[in-house]
Amino acid sequence: MITGASGGLGAALADALAPTHTLFLAGRPSERLDAVAGRLGATTWPVDLADPDAIPAVVEPIVELDVLIHNAGVAYPGRVAETTVDQWRSTMAVNVIGAVALTLELLPALRAASGHVVFINSGAGINASPGLASYSASKFALRGFADSLRADEPSLRVTSVHPGRIATAMQEDLVAYEGREYDPGQYLSVQTVARVTADAINAPRDAHVHEVIVRPR
């Protein structure tokens, strides 16, 4: 299961894993999500991470799950003094609470498969980035949840992926906030991050990749 798979890194992750996995593409129903699913022969799964109360009924049919990839996320560019409480609430709701809620509901299915939970984190989850106050805080929290899950669920593999800046629409918004010209060639491609993530997922069963840090050259 991949969250946020309608485009960008999520769609690239789906492309990278389609040859080796049966895909559940989770997210709010949309034409873009349907297009990715149609191209790969995948199944869409209507999950709204901003509505954790609805998640149990949605995922209840899943009894075994090999891999859960938390890719969905939101970011509101802004330094601390520029942010609002509503932005913090929205960021934490999707980036942290939604990921926690989905993981908790899928724990029995993951345990049944001795599965793997992957968190697409960020360099901002290791070192806070200027102008990304609420986003950085949410990624630090997500890293803490991943570490706790790894410690408390020894039958699972848990990996945090911390890429540097990726050439995505989110990146364009951040560069515009910074008042600079956007050049996708300066950043990691979504295909590169997807391939690195797929390598961690497809590692031999006796390997447990705790953390992946990848930066643009």
Side-chain angles (χ1 to χ4, degrees), residues 119-190:
F119 296 88
I120 303 300
N121 201 293
S122 169
I126 298 175
N127 297 295
S129 296
L132 281 174
S134 61
Y135 179 79
S136 294
S138 73
K139 291 300 187 178
F140 269 80
L142 192 66
R143 184 185 184 191
F145 175 60
D147 290 347
S148 294
L149 182 66
R150 188 183 305 111
D152 291 342
E153 294 289 335
S155 70
L156 305 183
R157 296 198 292 183
V158 179
T159 303
S160 287
V161 180
H162 295 270
R165 291 193 168 197
I166 310 173
T168 63
M170 185 183 293
Q171 195 63 237
E172 287 189 66
D173 291 342
L174 177 58
V175 171
Y177 164 79
E178 294 170 338
R180 299 186 294 108
E181 184 176 345
Y182 178 68
D183 176 6
Q186 295 180 350
Y187 309 112
L188 291 163
S189 72
V190 292

Coordinates of all heavy atoms in Angstrom, one line a residue, residues 119-190:
F119 N 8.5 4.9 5.9 CA 8.1 6.3 6.1 C 9.0 7.2 5.2 O 10.2 7.3 5.3 CB 8.3 6.8 7.5 CG 7.5 6.0 8.5 CD1 7.9 4.8 9.1 CD2 6.2 6.5 8.9 CE1 7.1 4.1 10.0 CE2 5.4 5.8 9.8 CZ 5.9 4.6 10.3
I120 N 8.3 7.8 4.2 CA 9.0 8.8 3.4 C 9.1 10.1 4.2 O 8.2 10.8 4.3 CB 8.3 9.1 2.0 CG1 8.2 7.8 1.2 CG2 9.1 10.1 1.2 CD1 9.5 7.1 0.9
N121 N 10.3 10.3 4.8 CA 10.5 11.4 5.7 C 11.1 12.5 4.9 O 10.7 12.9 3.8 CB 11.3 11.0 6.9 CG 11.2 11.9 8.1 OD1 11.6 13.0 8.0 ND2 10.6 11.4 9.2
S122 N 12.2 13.1 5.4 CA 12.8 14.3 4.7 C 14.1 14.6 5.4 O 14.3 14.2 6.6 CB 11.9 15.5 4.8 OG 12.5 16.7 4.4
G123 N 15.0 15.3 4.7 CA 16.1 15.8 5.4 C 15.7 16.8 6.5 O 16.4 16.9 7.5
A124 N 14.5 17.4 6.4 CA 14.0 18.2 7.4 C 13.6 17.5 8.6 O 13.3 18.1 9.7 CB 12.8 19.0 6.8
G125 N 13.5 16.2 8.6 CA 13.3 15.4 9.8 C 14.5 15.0 10.5 O 14.5 14.3 11.6
I126 N 15.7 15.5 10.0 CA 17.0 15.3 10.7 C 17.5 16.7 11.2 O 18.0 16.9 12.3 CB 18.0 14.6 9.8 CG1 17.5 13.2 9.5 CG2 19.4 14.5 10.5 CD1 18.3 12.5 8.5
N127 N 17.5 17.7 10.2 CA 17.9 19.0 10.5 C 16.7 20.0 10.1 O 16.3 19.9 8.9 CB 19.2 19.4 9.8 CG 20.3 18.5 10.2 OD1 20.8 18.6 11.4 ND2 20.9 17.7 9.3
A128 N 16.2 20.8 11.0 CA 15.1 21.7 10.7 C 15.5 22.6 9.5 O 16.6 23.2 9.5 CB 14.7 22.5 11.9
S129 N 14.6 22.8 8.6 CA 14.9 23.6 7.4 C 14.3 25.0 7.6 O 13.1 25.1 8.0 CB 14.3 23.0 6.1 OG 14.9 21.8 5.8
P130 N 15.0 26.1 7.4 CA 14.5 27.4 7.5 C 13.3 27.6 6.5 O 13.3 27.1 5.4 CB 15.6 28.3 7.0 CG 16.8 27.5 7.2 CD 16.5 26.1 7.0
G131 N 12.2 28.2 7.0 CA 11.0 28.4 6.2 C 10.1 27.2 6.1 O 9.1 27.2 5.3
L132 N 10.4 26.1 6.8 CA 9.5 25.0 6.8 C 9.2 24.5 8.3 O 9.4 23.4 8.7 CB 10.2 23.8 6.1 CG 10.1 23.9 4.5 CD1 10.9 22.7 3.9 CD2 8.6 23.8 4.1
A133 N 8.8 25.5 9.1 CA 8.6 25.2 10.5 C 7.7 24.1 10.9 O 8.1 23.1 11.5 CB 8.1 26.5 11.2
S134 N 6.5 24.1 10.4 CA 5.5 23.1 10.8 C 5.9 21.8 10.1 O 5.7 20.7 10.7 CB 4.1 23.5 10.5 OG 3.9 23.7 9.1
Y135 N 6.4 21.8 8.9 CA 6.7 20.6 8.1 C 7.9 19.9 8.8 O 7.9 18.7 9.1 CB 7.1 21.0 6.7 CG 7.5 19.9 5.8 CD1 6.6 19.0 5.3 CD2 8.9 19.6 5.6 CE1 7.0 17.9 4.4 CE2 9.3 18.6 4.7 CZ 8.4 17.7 4.2 OH 8.7 16.7 3.4
S136 N 8.9 20.7 9.2 CA 10.1 20.1 9.9 C 9.7 19.4 11.2 O 10.1 18.3 11.5 CB 11.1 21.2 10.2 OG 11.7 21.7 9.0
A137 N 8.8 20.1 12.0 CA 8.4 19.5 13.2 C 7.6 18.2 13.0 O 7.8 17.3 13.8 CB 7.5 20.5 14.0
S138 N 6.8 18.2 12.0 CA 6.0 17.0 11.7 C 6.9 15.8 11.3 O 6.7 14.7 11.7 CB 5.0 17.2 10.6 OG 5.6 17.4 9.3
K139 N 8.0 16.1 10.6 CA 8.9 15.1 10.1 C 9.8 14.6 11.3 O 10.1 13.4 11.3 CB 9.8 15.6 9.0 CG 9.0 15.8 7.7 CD 8.3 14.5 7.2 CE 7.7 14.7 5.8 NZ 7.0 13.5 5.3
F140 N 10.1 15.4 12.2 CA 10.8 15.0 13.4 C 9.8 14.0 14.2 O 10.3 13.0 14.7 CB 11.2 16.1 14.3 CG 12.6 16.7 14.1 CD1 12.8 17.5 13.0 CD2 13.6 16.3 14.9 CE1 14.1 18.0 12.8 CE2 14.9 16.8 14.6 CZ 15.1 17.7 13.6
A141 N 8.6 14.4 14.3 CA 7.6 13.5 15.0 C 7.4 12.2 14.3 O 7.4 11.1 14.9 CB 6.3 14.2 15.1
L142 N 7.4 12.2 13.0 CA 7.2 11.0 12.2 C 8.4 10.1 12.4 O 8.3 8.9 12.4 CB 7.0 11.3 10.7 CG 6.6 10.2 9.8 CD1 5.2 9.8 10.2 CD2 6.6 10.6 8.3
R143 N 9.6 10.7 12.4 CA 10.8 9.9 12.7 C 10.7 9.2 14.0 O 11.1 8.0 14.2 CB 12.1 10.8 12.6 CG 13.4 10.0 12.7 CD 14.5 11.0 12.7 NE 15.8 10.3 12.8 CZ 17.0 11.0 13.0 NH1 17.0 12.3 13.2 NH2 18.1 10.3 13.0
G144 N 10.3 9.9 15.0 CA 10.1 9.4 16.4 C 9.1 8.2 16.4 O 9.3 7.2 17.1
F145 N 8.0 8.4 15.6 CA 7.0 7.3 15.6 C 7.7 6.0 14.9 O 7.5 4.9 15.4 CB 5.8 7.7 14.8 CG 4.8 6.6 14.6 CD1 4.2 6.0 15.7 CD2 4.4 6.2 13.3 CE1 3.3 4.9 15.5 CE2 3.5 5.2 13.1 CZ 2.9 4.6 14.2
A146 N 8.4 6.3 13.8 CA 9.1 5.1 13.1 C 10.0 4.4 14.1 O 10.0 3.2 14.1 CB 9.8 5.6 11.9
D147 N 10.8 5.2 14.8 CA 11.7 4.6 15.8 C 11.0 3.8 16.9 O 11.4 2.7 17.3 CB 12.6 5.6 16.4 CG 13.6 6.2 15.4 OD1 13.8 5.7 14.3 OD2 14.2 7.3 15.8
S148 N 9.9 4.3 17.3 CA 9.1 3.6 18.4 C 8.5 2.3 17.8 O 8.5 1.3 18.5 CB 8.0 4.5 18.9 OG 8.6 5.6 19.6
L149 N 8.0 2.4 16.6 CA 7.4 1.3 15.9 C 8.4 0.1 15.8 O 8.1 -1.0 16.0 CB 6.8 1.7 14.6 CG 6.1 0.6 13.8 CD1 4.8 0.1 14.5 CD2 5.7 1.1 12.4
R150 N 9.6 0.5 15.3 CA 10.7 -0.5 15.2 C 11.0 -1.1 16.5 O 11.3 -2.4 16.5 CB 11.9 0.2 14.6 CG 13.0 -0.7 14.1 CD 14.2 0.0 13.6 NE 13.9 0.9 12.5 CZ 14.0 2.2 12.6 NH1 14.3 2.8 13.8 NH2 13.6 3.0 11.6
A151 N 11.1 -0.4 17.6 CA 11.4 -0.9 18.9 C 10.3 -1.8 19.4 O 10.6 -2.8 20.1 CB 11.7 0.2 19.8
D152 N 9.1 -1.4 19.2 CA 8.0 -2.1 19.8 C 7.4 -3.3 19.0 O 6.7 -4.1 19.5 CB 6.8 -1.1 20.1 CG 7.1 -0.1 21.1 OD1 8.1 -0.4 21.9 OD2 6.5 0.9 21.2
E153 N 7.7 -3.3 17.7 CA 7.2 -4.4 16.8 C 8.4 -5.1 16.1 O 8.7 -4.9 15.0 CB 6.3 -3.8 15.7 CG 5.0 -3.2 16.3 CD 4.0 -4.2 16.8 OE1 4.1 -5.4 16.3 OE2 3.2 -3.9 17.7
P154 N 9.1 -6.0 16.9 CA 10.3 -6.6 16.3 C 10.0 -7.5 15.1 O 11.0 -7.9 14.4 CB 10.8 -7.4 17.5 CG 9.7 -7.6 18.5 CD 8.8 -6.4 18.3
S155 N 8.8 -7.9 14.9 CA 8.5 -8.8 13.7 C 8.5 -8.0 12.4 O 8.5 -8.6 11.3 CB 7.2 -9.6 13.9 OG 6.1 -8.7 13.8
L156 N 8.4 -6.7 12.5 CA 8.3 -5.8 11.4 C 9.7 -5.2 11.0 O 10.5 -5.0 11.9 CB 7.3 -4.7 11.6 CG 5.9 -5.0 12.0 CD1 5.1 -3.8 12.1 CD2 5.3 -6.0 11.1
R157 N 9.8 -4.9 9.7 CA 10.9 -4.0 9.3 C 10.4 -2.6 9.2 O 9.3 -2.4 8.7 CB 11.5 -4.5 8.0 CG 12.2 -5.9 8.0 CD 13.1 -6.1 6.9 NE 12.4 -6.3 5.6 CZ 13.1 -6.6 4.5 NH1 14.4 -6.7 4.4 NH2 12.4 -6.7 3.3
V158 N 11.1 -1.6 9.7 CA 10.7 -0.2 9.6 C 11.8 0.6 9.1 O 12.9 0.6 9.7 CB 10.2 0.2 11.0 CG1 9.8 1.7 11.0 CG2 9.1 -0.6 11.6
T159 N 11.5 1.3 8.1 CA 12.6 2.2 7.4 C 12.1 3.6 7.3 O 11.0 3.9 6.8 CB 12.9 1.6 6.0 OG1 13.3 0.2 6.1 CG2 14.0 2.4 5.3
S160 N 12.9 4.5 7.7 CA 12.7 5.9 7.4 C 13.6 6.4 6.3 O 14.8 6.1 6.3 CB 13.0 6.8 8.7 OG 12.1 6.6 9.7
V161 N 13.0 7.0 5.3 CA 13.8 7.5 4.1 C 13.8 9.0 4.2 O 12.8 9.7 4.3 CB 13.1 7.0 2.8 CG1 13.9 7.6 1.6 CG2 13.0 5.5 2.7
H162 N 15.1 9.5 4.2 CA 15.3 11.0 4.4 C 15.9 11.5 3.1 O 17.2 11.7 3.1 CB 16.2 11.2 5.6 CG 15.6 10.8 6.9 ND1 14.8 11.7 7.7 CD2 15.6 9.7 7.6 CE1 14.4 11.1 8.8 NE2 14.9 9.8 8.7
P163 N 15.1 11.8 2.1 CA 15.7 12.5 0.9 C 16.0 13.9 1.1 O 15.3 14.6 1.9 CB 14.7 12.2 -0.2 CG 13.4 12.1 0.6 CD 13.7 11.6 1.9
G164 N 16.9 14.5 0.4 CA 17.1 15.9 0.3 C 16.0 16.4 -0.6 O 14.9 15.8 -0.9
R165 N 16.2 17.6 -1.1 CA 15.1 18.2 -1.9 C 14.8 17.4 -3.2 O 15.8 17.0 -3.9 CB 15.5 19.7 -2.3 CG 15.5 20.6 -1.1 CD 15.5 22.0 -1.5 NE 15.3 22.9 -0.4 CZ 15.0 24.2 -0.5 NH1 14.9 24.8 -1.7 NH2 14.7 25.0 0.5
I166 N 13.5 17.2 -3.5 CA 13.1 16.4 -4.7 C 12.4 17.4 -5.6 O 11.7 18.3 -5.2 CB 12.2 15.3 -4.2 CG1 12.8 14.5 -3.1 CG2 11.8 14.4 -5.4 CD1 11.8 13.5 -2.5
A167 N 12.5 17.1 -6.9 CA 11.9 17.9 -7.9 C 10.4 17.5 -8.0 O 10.0 16.6 -8.7 CB 12.5 17.6 -9.3
T168 N 9.6 18.2 -7.2 CA 8.1 18.0 -7.1 C 7.4 19.3 -7.1 O 8.0 20.4 -7.0 CB 7.8 17.2 -5.9 OG1 8.1 18.0 -4.7 CG2 8.5 15.8 -5.8
A169 N 6.1 19.2 -7.2 CA 5.3 20.4 -7.1 C 5.4 21.1 -5.7 O 5.4 22.3 -5.6 CB 3.8 20.1 -7.3
M170 N 5.6 20.3 -4.7 CA 5.9 20.9 -3.4 C 7.1 21.7 -3.3 O 7.2 22.7 -2.7 CB 5.9 19.7 -2.3 CG 6.1 20.2 -0.9 SD 6.2 18.9 0.3 CE 4.6 18.1 0.2
Q171 N 8.1 21.2 -4.1 CA 9.4 21.9 -4.2 C 9.3 23.2 -4.9 O 9.9 24.2 -4.5 CB 10.4 21.0 -4.9 CG 11.9 21.5 -4.7 CD 12.3 21.5 -3.3 OE1 12.7 22.5 -2.7 NE2 12.2 20.3 -2.7
E172 N 8.5 23.2 -5.9 CA 8.2 24.5 -6.7 C 7.6 25.5 -5.8 O 8.0 26.7 -5.8 CB 7.3 24.2 -7.8 CG 7.9 23.4 -9.0 CD 7.0 23.4 -10.2 OE1 6.7 24.5 -10.8 OE2 6.5 22.3 -10.6
D173 N 6.6 25.1 -4.9 CA 6.0 26.0 -4.0 C 7.1 26.6 -3.0 O 7.0 27.8 -2.7 CB 4.9 25.4 -3.2 CG 3.7 25.0 -4.1 OD1 3.6 25.6 -5.2 OD2 2.9 24.2 -3.7
L174 N 7.9 25.8 -2.5 CA 9.0 26.2 -1.6 C 9.9 27.2 -2.2 O 10.3 28.2 -1.6 CB 9.7 25.0 -1.0 CG 10.9 25.3 0.0 CD1 10.3 26.1 1.2 CD2 11.5 24.1 0.5
V175 N 10.4 26.9 -3.4 CA 11.3 27.7 -4.1 C 10.6 29.1 -4.4 O 11.3 30.1 -4.3 CB 11.8 27.0 -5.4 CG1 12.6 28.0 -6.3 CG2 12.6 25.8 -5.1
A176 N 9.3 29.1 -4.8 CA 8.6 30.3 -5.0 C 8.6 31.1 -3.7 O 8.8 32.4 -3.7 CB 7.2 30.0 -5.5
Y177 N 8.3 30.5 -2.6 CA 8.3 31.2 -1.3 C 9.7 31.8 -1.0 O 9.8 32.9 -0.5 CB 8.0 30.2 -0.2 CG 8.3 30.7 1.2 CD1 7.5 31.6 1.9 CD2 9.5 30.2 1.9 CE1 7.8 32.0 3.1 CE2 9.8 30.7 3.1 CZ 8.9 31.6 3.8 OH 9.2 32.1 5.0
E178 N 10.8 31.1 -1.4 CA 12.1 31.6 -1.2 C 12.5 32.7 -2.2 O 13.6 33.3 -2.0 CB 13.1 30.4 -1.3 CG 13.0 29.4 -0.1 CD 13.8 28.2 -0.4 OE1 14.1 27.9 -1.5 OE2 14.1 27.5 0.6
G179 N 11.7 32.9 -3.2 CA 11.9 34.0 -4.1 C 13.0 33.6 -5.2 O 13.7 34.5 -5.7
R180 N 13.2 32.3 -5.4 CA 14.2 31.9 -6.4 C 13.6 31.3 -7.6 O 12.4 31.0 -7.6 CB 15.1 30.8 -5.7 CG 15.9 31.4 -4.5 CD 16.9 30.4 -3.9 NE 16.3 29.2 -3.4 CZ 16.3 28.0 -3.9 NH1 16.9 27.8 -5.1 NH2 15.7 27.0 -3.4
E181 N 14.4 31.1 -8.6 CA 13.9 30.4 -9.8 C 14.0 28.9 -9.7 O 15.0 28.4 -9.3 CB 14.7 30.9 -11.0 CG 14.2 30.4 -12.4 CD 15.0 30.9 -13.6 OE1 15.7 32.0 -13.4 OE2 14.9 30.4 -14.7
Y182 N 12.9 28.2 -10.1 CA 12.9 26.8 -9.9 C 13.6 26.1 -11.1 O 13.3 26.3 -12.2 CB 11.5 26.3 -9.8 CG 11.3 24.8 -9.7 CD1 11.7 24.1 -8.6 CD2 10.8 24.0 -10.8 CE1 11.6 22.8 -8.5 CE2 10.6 22.7 -10.7 CZ 11.0 22.0 -9.5 OH 10.9 20.7 -9.4
D183 N 14.6 25.3 -10.7 CA 15.3 24.5 -11.7 C 15.3 23.0 -11.2 O 16.1 22.7 -10.3 CB 16.8 25.0 -11.8 CG 17.6 24.1 -12.8 OD1 17.1 23.2 -13.4 OD2 18.9 24.4 -12.8
P184 N 14.5 22.2 -11.8 CA 14.4 20.8 -11.3 C 15.7 20.0 -11.4 O 15.9 19.1 -10.7 CB 13.3 20.2 -12.2 CG 13.3 21.1 -13.4 CD 13.6 22.4 -13.0
G185 N 16.6 20.5 -12.3 CA 17.9 19.8 -12.4 C 18.8 19.9 -11.1 O 19.7 19.1 -11.0
Q186 N 18.4 20.8 -10.2 CA 19.2 21.0 -9.0 C 18.8 20.0 -7.9 O 19.4 19.9 -6.9 CB 19.0 22.4 -8.5 CG 19.6 23.5 -9.4 CD 19.4 24.9 -8.7 OE1 18.6 25.0 -7.8 NE2 20.0 25.9 -9.4
Y187 N 17.7 19.2 -8.2 CA 17.1 18.4 -7.1 C 17.1 16.9 -7.5 O 17.3 16.6 -8.7 CB 15.7 18.9 -6.8 CG 15.7 20.4 -6.5 CD1 15.0 21.2 -7.4 CD2 16.3 21.0 -5.4 CE1 15.0 22.6 -7.2 CE2 16.3 22.3 -5.2 CZ 15.6 23.2 -6.1 OH 15.6 24.5 -5.9
L188 N 16.9 16.1 -6.5 CA 16.7 14.7 -6.8 C 15.5 14.4 -7.6 O 14.4 15.1 -7.4 CB 16.6 13.9 -5.5 CG 17.8 13.8 -4.6 CD1 17.4 13.4 -3.1 CD2 18.8 12.8 -5.1
S189 N 15.5 13.5 -8.5 CA 14.3 13.1 -9.3 C 13.5 12.2 -8.5 O 14.0 11.5 -7.6 CB 14.7 12.5 -10.6 OG 15.2 11.2 -10.4
V190 N 12.2 12.2 -8.7 CA 11.3 11.2 -8.0 C 11.7 9.8 -8.3 O 11.6 8.9 -7.5 CB 9.8 11.5 -8.3 CG1 9.4 12.8 -7.8 CG2 9.6 11.4 -9.8

